[in-house]
Amino acid sequence: EERGDPKVQLEQALSEAQAQHRRLREQAANVIANQKQAELRLNAKMNELEKLNANARQALIMADDARKAGDAAKAQQYESAAETIASQLIQVEKDVDSLKTMVIEATQAADQAKAAVAQNSRLLQEKLAEKSKLLSPPLQQSRAMTRL
């Protein structure tokens, strides 16, 4: 008999909706944390890229200065260092491109997770409003009875 009671059914549905909402919020928090981590990794790689570019430029300037000073051995040493840095740059640029893609995907996932939480929150509010409507008539009736 209790299973057919709309109040009991509504209470069960509400309880499940609240549990689902908690799970969704936890999942969204994880997705958003992953997005933030991806952004942090991208920023760190971008900083590394800047430093490597600056180091490569500096090595080439120093090689040019050594060549102008007539020190071919030193110039060769700096040029070799610039080549090593250039190969590192190629890998870091690939990493940056990969991380950019990862950040875009993580941002889309975070936006979807936020939207899912917002939608679920609206559904939960609707269920709470429905519960209030179901519970308020007996309350009004009992107030009417006490006035008599």
Side-chain angles (χ1 to χ4, degrees), residues 127-144:
K127 282 186 173 48
L128 286 169
E130 193 178 324
K131 178 183 176 184
S132 293
K133 284 179 192 173
L134 259 179
L135 295 179
S136 61
L139 194 62
Q140 291 170 351
Q141 287 174 358
S142 68
R143 286 183 186 152

Side-chain angles (χ1 to χ4, degrees), residues 5-144:
D5 185 355
K7 290 178 189 173
V8 171
Q9 289 177 340
L10 182 61
E11 198 61 48
Q12 290 170 341
L14 191 56
S15 178
E16 176 52 38
Q18 288 170 328
Q20 181 183 4
H21 189 66
R22 268 192 306 280
R23 288 190 301 270
L24 263 177
R25 283 195 354 240
E26 288 170 9
Q27 289 171 349
N30 288 333
V31 169
I32 292 166
N34 287 339
Q35 176 205 15
K36 298 298 179 197
Q37 286 295 320
E39 287 174 353
L40 290 173
R41 287 194 303 274
L42 175 61
N43 289 337
K45 261 317 167 185
M46 296 287 286
N47 288 335
E48 184 180 348
L49 188 63
E50 278 182 43
K51 287 177 186 172
L52 286 172
N53 272 317
N55 290 346
R57 274 192 303 275
Q58 187 63 35
L60 290 173
I61 290 169
M62 292 171 83
D64 191 45
D65 289 347
R67 195 165 308 293
K68 287 177 185 172
D71 192 345
K74 216 31 153 176
Q76 180 57 44
Q77 192 178 3
Y78 287 128
E79 286 170 354
S80 177
E83 288 174 13
T84 301
I85 294 169
S87 63
Q88 291 174 334
L89 269 170
I90 292 168
Q91 183 56 51
V92 172
E93 285 173 347
K94 287 178 185 174
D95 293 347
V96 165
D97 287 343
S98 172
L99 284 167
K100 281 180 182 178
T101 301
M102 190 183 303
V103 166
I104 290 168
E105 291 170 356
T107 300
Q108 290 169 343
D111 290 344
Q112 289 171 350
K114 289 174 190 176
V117 167
Q119 180 182 5
N120 190 265
S121 182
R122 284 188 296 275
L123 292 173
L124 188 56
Q125 291 303 318
E126 288 172 13
K127 282 186 173 48
L128 286 169
E130 193 178 324
K131 178 183 176 184
S132 293
K133 284 179 192 173
L134 259 179
L135 295 179
S136 61
L139 194 62
Q140 291 170 351
Q141 287 174 358
S142 68
R143 286 183 186 152

